[in-house]
Amino acid sequence: MSNSDLHGLERQEKIAQLLEERGKLTVVEISHAFDISEATARRDLAALAERNLIRRVHGGAMRAQQVATSEAPIMQRLEERAEIKRQIGQAAARFIQNGETVLLIGGSTGAAVARELGNHTNLTLITDSVIVANELIRQGAHKVIMLGGTIDVDEFAVRGTLARLFLSEFQVDKVVLGVKAISPQRGLSTESAEEAELFRGCIQAGHYIILVTDSSKFSQSALVRIAPVDILDAVVTDSKIDPETVEALQERGVFVEIVPAGD
């Protein structure tokens, strides 16, 4: 690859990042921002569109990521992609060692992780989720700490300032969480500022951060940004994840564990 080719690829990456930040750019704006001709800007956009990194529109381009819509209540999501979530739960459980303190944030995939911890011993598990807490209590093998706060009836999980204050007192070995949406460029995001605040508190409490999510949550963005992907140590997901997304995560120092997606 020539130096000029490399320079063009670097510029295209920066164009894609700028589109992630702004949502939409015209050819003229790209030409001015990168001091290139409009013809070169169009060629760069064509190359990015061919890689499905952006979406071409008349006179310019938009980011490829779709804004995530509201999720169904958790009791419904527990039944969705159940086998994939079970395998993700098994893989995530292998990251956890006996005797560790773990912050396990709820959601349907978090519940799948909880179900795989029955053979572990001497864990201390902190959770925001009534569903996760019930599963861990049923196992009868671990110390379980429930965060305080107001119950979100759709998620069966605590939210609010009290939960965030609880989190500020903890330091844990590992954090296992799932988020609404994740993009290597835009980072982790969720639907509300309140939920984003809770996730940031979880991240600050942990030494090793594991994201558990099925592949449908990638290449999306939700309303409120939580943090860049660089804060993650590992991601556990399924094999339908786009290879370019895997590469982008790995380039940012994130270990990616992939389980089979099935049919």
Side-chain angles (χ1 to χ4, degrees):
M1 180 180 292
S2 68
N3 288 335
S4 61
D5 289 338
L6 180 60
H7 180 70
L9 289 173
E10 291 173 347
R11 185 180 62 247
Q12 289 166 17
E13 175 68 18
K14 290 178 181 178
I15 291 171
Q17 290 175 357
L18 190 60
L19 275 165
E20 286 293 333
E21 295 170 4
R22 298 189 185 180
K24 183 178 181 180
L25 289 169
T26 67
V27 169
V28 173
E29 287 172 332
I30 294 168
S31 174
H32 289 166
F34 293 93
D35 193 24
I36 56 177
S37 69
E38 292 183 19
T40 300
R42 291 189 185 93
R43 285 195 295 270
D44 284 345
L45 292 178
L48 289 166
E50 188 174 349
R51 295 162 59 195
N52 295 319
L53 297 178
I54 65 163
R55 181 159 61 92
R56 291 298 303 274
V57 295
H58 180 69
M62 297 179 66
R63 64 171 175 247
Q65 284 78 8
Q66 300 298 311
V67 175
T69 56
S70 297
E71 285 188 303
I74 189 169
M75 298 308 291
Q76 178 179 332
R77 301 198 321 271
L78 288 172
E79 305 301 321
E80 297 173 352
R81 302 182 180 91
E83 177 57 23
I84 289 175
K85 291 175 183 178
R86 184 187 68 80
Q87 293 191 62
I88 290 172
Q90 286 182 337
R94 291 194 288 270
F95 283 84
I96 298 171
Q97 306 300 313
N98 293 334
E100 287 187 325
T101 300
V102 180
L103 181 54
L104 178 53
I105 295 304
S108 55
T109 312
V113 177
R115 287 192 289 271
E116 301 300 327
L117 296 177
N119 292 327
H120 285 65
T121 59
N122 196 32
L123 295 176
T124 298
L125 291 139
I126 306 163
T127 187
D128 68 327
S129 167
V130 175
I131 294 171
V132 168
N134 282 341
E135 170 59 28
L136 296 172
I137 291 168
R138 184 194 66 77
Q139 293 173 9
H142 314 299
K143 179 179 180 180
V144 181
I145 300 172
M146 184 81 190
L147 294 178
T150 303
I151 296 290
D152 180 329
V153 295
D154 287 332
E155 289 298 302
F156 280 73
V158 295
R159 297 289 183 262
T161 302
L162 186 58
R164 180 68 178 85
L165 289 173
F166 267 75
L167 281 171
S168 67
E169 300 297 319
F170 292 117
Q171 295 185 57
V172 301
D173 297 304
K174 293 188 172 81
V175 175
V176 181
L177 55 81
V179 297
K180 171 68 175 175
I182 175 173
S183 160
Q185 292 78 28
R186 294 180 63 81
L188 285 62
S189 54
T190 191
E191 293 176 321
S192 70
E194 183 179 65
E195 193 170 37
E197 183 182 24
L198 181 75
F199 281 122
R200 291 188 198 109
C202 295
I203 291 164
Q204 291 171 4
H207 295 293
Y208 192 90
I209 314 299
I210 305 165
L211 178 72
V212 291
T213 182
D214 68 79
S215 57
S216 69
K217 302 296 178 63
F218 287 92
S219 297
Q220 294 195 60
S221 62
L223 181 62
V224 184
R225 190 169 184 264
I226 300 167
V229 296
D230 309 65
I231 60 91
L232 298 173
D233 294 289
V235 168
V236 185
T237 189
D238 65 80
S239 58
K240 290 186 178 179
I241 185 174
D242 182 78
E244 290 185 353
T245 300
V246 174
E247 183 178 356
L249 290 169
Q250 291 171 336
E251 287 175 352
R252 288 163 171 79
V254 182
F255 177 80
V256 182
E257 176 89 3
I258 298 176
V259 305
D263 296 330

